Amino acid sequence: LLELLDKQLAQPAYSLAGYAAVGPVVTVVADASAEEAFYVNLLGLDRVASGLLTGSDIEQAVGLPKGAGLDYRVLGRAEDPMGRVQVLEYQGARGKGLYHRAKPPALGHLHATWHVRTVAPLAARSTGSSALSAARGG
């Protein structure tokens, strides 16, 4: 939804097997900067959009308390709207424990796959301690 504001919808891309491309993966995190560092520094994605949504419109749209906001970062490739990652961080809003089973270690699992021509660039980035350190927020 964040990427569709003021844009016309295009037909989805299809593979030769007839599968549509994957839309964005949305992650809601406590530290958007650390999450972004992982995708940018290690996986080589670009920030294609970002912002901080505040005010009554976003408060009403997603049920935020007055004065809260939504920090968002869209990561991927500017020329390709499919397969992007949307990193969201709620600001000024305390969460409610609505899912009694979502407690460590059962917090969920995300599995995402990117098709690449070669793993060499990823391997080069992963050998530098700065990429992994930034990905871990350190």
Side-chain angles (χ1 to χ4, degrees):
L1 179 61
L2 292 171
E3 298 180 68
L4 298 178
L5 301 174
D6 300 325
K7 293 184 180 178
Q8 292 185 353
L9 295 176
Q11 291 295 322
Y14 289 92
S15 70
L16 293 177
Y19 298 105
V22 175
V25 171
V26 179
T27 63
V28 179
V29 297
D31 186 345
S33 295
E35 185 81 354
E36 179 182 25
F38 171 78
Y39 289 106
V40 171
N41 296 339
L42 188 59
L43 298 182
L45 300 182
D46 300 319
R47 182 193 286 190
V48 295
S50 63
L52 178 61
L53 302 175
T54 59
S56 61
D57 288 343
I58 191 65
E59 292 166 5
Q60 291 174 8
V62 297
L64 292 175
K66 187 174 176 80
L70 179 65
D71 175 352
Y72 72 93
R73 295 126 193 257
V74 180
L75 311 172
R77 297 280 178 256
E79 68 278 3
D80 187 2
M82 305 309 274
R84 290 182 176 173
V85 177
Q86 294 180 359
V87 177
L88 308 178
E89 177 185 336
Y90 292 101
Q91 297 185 346
R94 291 194 43 129
K96 294 179 183 176
L98 300 177
Y99 302 100
H100 68 281
R101 296 190 316 183
K103 302 212 183 311
L107 293 179
H109 175 76
L110 170 66
H111 175 86
T113 303
W114 279 267
H115 177 76
V116 295
R117 289 190 172 103
T118 176
V119 296
L122 177 61
R125 285 190 295 271
S126 67
T127 58
S129 62
S130 62
L132 293 175
S133 177
R136 294 185 183 121

